[in-house]
Amino acid sequence: VSAQDVYLVGLSHKSAPIEVRERFALTGDTLKAALVELRATDGVQEAFVVSTCNRVEVYVQAQGDAAARRFFTSRAAQAGDHLYAKAGAHAVRHLFRVSASLDSMVLGEQQILGQVKEAYGLASAAGSAGSFISRLCNHAFATAKRVRTETDIGKGTISMSQVAVELVEKIFGDLKGRSILLAGAGKMGTLSAKALASLGADRILVTNRSVERGQALAAQVNGHFRDWAELQRLLSEADVVIVSTGAPNYVLTREMLAKAMKARRHRSIVLIDLAVPRNVDPDCADLGDVYAYDVDDMQKVVDSTQEARKGEALRAEAIIEAEVLAFSRERETRAALPVLIHLRRRAEAIARAEAARTLSIAGASLDERGRRSVEAMAQAIVNKLLHVPTVRLKESAASGDGTLAGAVAELFAIDAESGGGAERPARASQGGQPDAGPGRAAAASSDRN
Amino acid sequence: MSIVILRIAAALYAVSTAAYVLYFARPKHPRLAMAGATTLGLGFLVHAVAIGVGCSEFGGAEFFSLRGGLALMVWLAAGAYLLLNRFYHLPTLGAFITPFIVVTLLPALFGTPGHPELPPDTLRHPTVTVHIISAVLGVALFAIAFGAALMYLLQEREVKGKKFGVMFLRLPSLDKLDRMVQRLVRAGFVVYTVALVAGTMTATAVWKSAWSWDLQQIVSLTIWLLYGVMVQLRHSGWHGRRYALLTLVGFALVLGSMVTLKVVPGATRHVGDYGTRVSGGAQ
């Protein structure tokens, strides 16, 4: 039987394709039921499940990861090939990295922390998260917050529509008094138009080959529909043009733009081509006061911010390493305490018992003061004998090393799991402790209590 | 005495430059920008004291030399930037202006302040003071316009060239920079016009002629016309890159002529021989 510890079994965008991931994406009541079921499994003390569209991860405080594994294999047999499993500090580190968005598809995205918080809230509500999961999660949140404030990992642009906003911002500042033209009904275009509306554009014009589709789109983005035949004239009106049609050729040619620039007296215009294949002739960018970007250019902006964030990620990893260490130290200190308590209680019980035995034999020849002295001597021997081990044990536990606590438990046959102590010194001193590895078990017990 | 105070001001300007440049490199620390603005403000005040002491020491003669003129321009540019920063909040512009301030102040820091001779009493005309201050303030505004135009061109190169590097993340939007250049050029033009009017009044009073084909007069009129044309071009739709380039050319001309005229001896009556070449027109 393996020791009581934290185990993680999961799959993410890095290990499993979407077809596999979507089978485990549990939410709300189904997730709650799953948590209750996990908690009810033998050997599982606490459980907690992070379930997003990019990952499903089961964290358990248990004797092993069998239950967590079963969570996946019982739902889909083929999941086994995509699972990763971590234990102890590795599992802790993983949760910290996930919360700080270092394991995300888009490095530094902001959503994941909220999702982990939600997962923890759900586990608390389902009663599957106890004091250990609670400490683990709170430490993860604090770590994520530290990473966010001490590094620039969350800075910079992320999605295409945000890139569009960023580019337009760098050219116009804001869009007050300006208008946006949305040409074509592509999904990315619609999203970008909506995002750009946040810059305060005066109006959004929408044009599309199909009138019906165009009008629906105009209603969706709060815009005005214009006929596709007016495109040339619209170019002299709009300051930002988002093109995303399904056309296989250039919808906006250099000639059209040259003509439009004359009509607009060379007021700047931004062309954002979100179509693949491209809809805007790349030669348009050579014209003065024309700022033209295609999907690849926008990806460059994403990459440039990702590149900048890679350096930040290194700093973030250092923070996480420090926090994982701090967490394990705290854990080990907690783990060492019950061993100490048991050790001291047992020693004191022995001292008391031996003093009583001595006094029962020779007590008659002693006065009250003499009897006190015998008791005090027994106690003093215990104190002096245990002083150095106590200090050493505390020190080693504080430095994150649990082996000494384990050794003491092993050496003195302390079974922290039995939770007894001084009341049952006899059983313990007889060496009767059949179950659980001592050191880790002590840790587990402290976590549970 | 005034040179010592001026050196203290220069040291403060240098600290401000360091803070602004650091801020440009690490925009995550707004305190650096604040430190830059604070030390710049302190430098400005100390510099004001230096100017006051200098005036009492040399009776204002130093402003007729290149060194004194440059130092005055630096002082006004610092003041103008501080004012601009207060209304538009442009800490990144500080990284462009403060190095310019320090470099321009360098010649004024070494040697004795240039005051070849005290100006004759004929020059103790109130229009002279107006002329000098407005001329220098005009040039200071052109200098800041130059800085903003430089920022525009750097930013434009990245935005239009799709190379999203250092400038892209740090500089304000093209539109903002463009408007800034335009406003500074216009304000500079207005102030410079005042300088020309005051100068003409002085010339009429002292040299008995409004126009005497003095080289400084010719250059000043050319600069005034150039910036006048720029103000006009703006109204007919000029903007962006072309306008920024024009601003650079304009200021290069201003600085070049300023230095040349002061360095070449006898090129203009504005240096030294205030009264000797009085004539009724040199045609």
Side-chain angles (χ1 to χ4, degrees):
Chain A
V1 189
S2 37
Q4 190 87 29
D5 203 348
V6 54
Y7 291 94
L8 148 71
V9 178
L11 44 77
S12 75
H13 59 95
K14 288 185 175 162
S15 74
I18 179 103
E19 302 82 60
V20 178
R21 292 201 312 270
E22 63 196 4
R23 305 189 69 139
F24 302 98
L26 306 179
T27 51
D29 287 342
T30 32
L31 184 53
K32 229 177 206 175
L35 283 166
V36 171
E37 181 195 314
L38 262 172
R39 175 71 181 82
T41 315
D42 237 10
V44 175
Q45 292 184 334
E46 300 185 30
F48 153 67
V49 176
V50 179
S51 169
T52 76
C53 51
N54 282 334
R55 73 182 65 247
V56 180
E57 290 176 348
V58 177
Y59 293 84
V60 289
Q61 166 75 2
Q63 310 243 331
D65 65 7
R69 241 172 231 290
R70 223 174 304 120
F71 174 90
F72 291 96
T73 46
S74 67
R75 282 176 172 80
Q78 84 271 30
D81 306 336
H82 302 286
L83 293 177
Y84 45 82
K86 291 169 199 287
H90 297 289
V92 172
R93 180 179 300 111
H94 188 85
L95 180 65
F96 286 11
R97 292 187 76 246
V98 166
S99 306
S101 188
L102 286 174
D103 199 51
S104 299
M105 213 177 229
V106 178
L107 196 63
E109 53 108 348
Q110 318 266 333
Q111 253 185 329
I112 184 69
L113 181 59
Q115 288 167 328
V116 177
K117 280 185 175 165
E118 214 171 285
Y120 168 61
L122 209 70
S124 291
S128 70
S131 71
F132 174 74
I133 293 281
S134 161
R135 276 205 314 282
L136 177 68
C137 285
N138 282 315
H139 209 122
F141 303 153
T143 304
K145 197 178 165 202
R146 235 193 105 186
V147 166
R148 177 92 11 110
T149 51
E150 290 178 27
T151 72
D152 273 345
I153 194 136
K155 288 275 160 61
T157 49
I158 292 160
S159 67
M160 282 286 176
S161 51
Q162 274 173 290
V163 171
V165 171
E166 184 113 338
L167 281 169
V168 168
E169 243 182 345
K170 279 294 168 194
I171 294 163
F172 290 134
D174 60 49
L175 286 177
K176 288 197 184 75
R178 301 182 200 269
S179 46
I180 301 171
L181 170 64
L182 175 56
K187 185 156 190 279
M188 277 308 300
T190 314
L191 284 174
S192 298
K194 278 184 179 165
L196 278 168
S198 68
L199 288 178
D202 267 19
R203 55 195 185 136
I204 302 179
L205 303 169
V206 178
T207 184
N208 193 45
R209 281 217 171 81
S210 137
V211 176
E212 201 179 318
R213 182 94 180 78
Q215 276 168 344
L217 195 63
Q220 200 188 332
V221 299
N222 262 334
H224 311 275
F225 179 73
R226 295 281 188 278
D227 203 79
W228 183 260
E230 289 179 61
L231 188 59
Q232 177 67 55
R233 200 183 53 73
L234 291 171
L235 284 180
S236 52
E237 246 178 76
D239 302 289
V240 179
V241 183
I242 302 162
V243 194
S244 68
T245 77
N249 56 338
Y250 296 146
V251 171
L252 298 185
T253 62
R254 194 187 149 95
E255 291 71 51
M256 288 171 80
L257 252 296
K259 212 171 139 191
M261 288 318 283
K262 235 175 235 168
R264 25 187 320 126
R265 301 182 66 208
H266 291 274
R267 272 182 303 120
S268 305
I269 190 168
V270 181
L271 307 175
I272 295 172
D273 183 2
L274 293 166
V276 180
R278 287 184 288 186
N279 283 167
V280 177
D281 185 347
D283 287 345
C284 289
D286 301 340
L287 292 166
D289 305 304
V290 175
Y291 300 91
Y293 305 98
D294 60 28
V295 174
D296 275 6
D297 299 328
M298 298 177 69
Q299 188 59 48
K300 263 192 247 167
V301 178
V302 177
D303 291 347
S304 74
T305 61
Q306 288 264 35
E307 206 50 51
R309 272 180 287 152
K310 273 191 189 132
E312 295 302 310
L314 282 179
R315 294 176 52 205
E317 296 283 7
I319 292 174
I320 286 186
E321 230 26 72
E323 291 296 335
V324 169
L325 196 67
F327 183 75
S328 338
R329 248 179 222 178
E330 187 198 307
R331 232 175 121 211
E332 299 290 356
T333 314
R334 279 172 183 276
L337 286 178
V339 175
L340 265 176
I341 292 167
H342 284 259
L343 188 62
R344 184 163 282 278
R345 276 185 190 166
R346 185 182 310 163
E348 281 172 358
I350 291 169
R352 261 198 310 275
E354 291 306 313
R357 205 159 68 95
T358 306
L359 290 174
S360 73
I361 297 165
S365 60
L366 289 173
D367 58 3
E368 181 60 26
R369 206 168 143 239
R371 276 201 289 275
R372 289 253 167 97
S373 300
V374 170
E375 278 168 1
M377 182 195 71
Q379 184 62 43
I381 291 172
V382 164
N383 283 347
K384 291 211 165 140
L385 204 57
L386 286 188
H387 176 68
V388 174
T390 303
V391 171
R392 286 281 164 83
L393 207 51
K394 278 185 177 163
E395 276 173 5
S396 95
S399 71
D401 184 8
T403 49
L404 202 53
V408 169
E410 180 83 48
L411 200 58
F412 289 92
I414 292 169
D415 173 19
E417 198 69 35
S418 66
E423 287 72 36
R424 288 182 288 165
R427 175 185 172 256
S429 60
Q430 278 156 20
Q433 63 110 19
D435 46 66
R440 289 292 189 189
S445 145
S446 81
D447 287 331
R448 192 192 208 173
N449 297 337
Chain B
M1 182 59 201
S2 65
I3 188 82
V4 177
I5 305 174
L6 187 65
R7 281 177 187 156
I8 296 172
L12 286 166
Y13 288 148
V15 172
S16 168
T17 306
Y20 271 123
V21 170
L22 268 176
Y23 172 71
F24 193 82
R26 297 258 180 283
K28 214 180 133 56
H29 303 286
R31 276 193 194 157
L32 284 171
M34 250 161 63
T38 312
T39 43
L40 187 63
L42 279 174
F44 179 76
L45 292 177
V46 173
H47 195 164
V49 173
I51 288 172
V53 172
C55 274
S56 72
E57 271 177 322
F58 313 117
E62 61 176 322
F63 302 122
F64 292 90
S65 73
L66 179 62
R67 280 174 179 169
L70 287 179
L72 185 62
M73 183 178 88
V74 160
W75 183 65
L76 290 168
Y81 169 70
L82 284 169
L83 208 65
L84 207 65
N85 192 40
R86 177 148 185 83
F87 290 112
Y88 295 100
H89 188 69
L90 286 163
T92 36
L93 185 57
F96 288 74
I97 298 291
T98 49
F100 166 80
I101 282 176
V102 169
V103 169
T104 314
L105 198 54
L106 280 180
L109 292 178
F110 302 104
T112 50
H115 49 107
E117 62 202 74
L118 280 176
D121 285 343
T122 40
L123 278 185
R124 303 269 163 170
H125 210 268
T127 51
V128 176
T129 314
V130 175
H131 172 65
I132 291 178
I133 290 182
S134 53
V136 174
L137 179 61
V139 173
L141 289 170
F142 293 150
I144 302 179
F146 170 86
L150 196 65
M151 282 168 79
Y152 180 94
L153 290 171
L154 288 171
Q155 175 76 306
E156 210 239 5
R157 203 180 55 171
E158 296 206 344
V159 170
K160 193 161 166 75
K162 302 162 185 180
K163 289 188 284 287
F164 308 106
V166 185
M167 303 298 159
F168 183 76
L169 290 173
R170 289 173 175 82
L171 295 186
S173 72
L174 287 174
D175 198 59
K176 191 172 179 181
L177 289 169
D178 189 41
R179 268 182 290 140
M180 190 73 49
V181 171
Q182 178 218 344
R183 281 180 189 155
L184 285 163
V185 164
R186 205 184 326 175
F189 177 70
V190 170
V191 175
Y192 207 71
T193 307
V194 173
L196 256 56
V197 170
T200 309
M201 283 163 73
T202 314
T204 312
V206 178
W207 294 333
K208 315 287 182 235
S209 160
W211 183 257
S212 54
W213 292 101
D214 186 273
L215 207 51
Q216 176 75 71
Q217 285 183 328
I218 298 169
V219 166
S220 302
L221 192 65
T222 313
I223 289 167
W224 182 76
L225 285 172
L226 177 76
Y227 279 92
V229 167
M230 280 166 70
V231 171
Q232 191 48 46
L233 278 176
R234 187 69 190 204
H235 287 292
S236 44
W238 268 51
H239 65 134
R241 190 181 156 73
R242 281 189 300 181
Y243 201 80
L245 282 171
L246 208 56
T247 313
L248 295 196
V249 171
F251 188 66
L253 199 68
V254 169
L255 211 59
S257 66
M258 248 178 97
V259 172
T260 319
L261 285 176
K262 300 283 181 189
V263 167
V264 177
T268 166
R269 287 191 285 177
H270 277 70
V271 194
D273 50 348
Y274 306 102
T276 47
R277 279 206 287 149
V278 175
S279 68
Q283 285 96 323

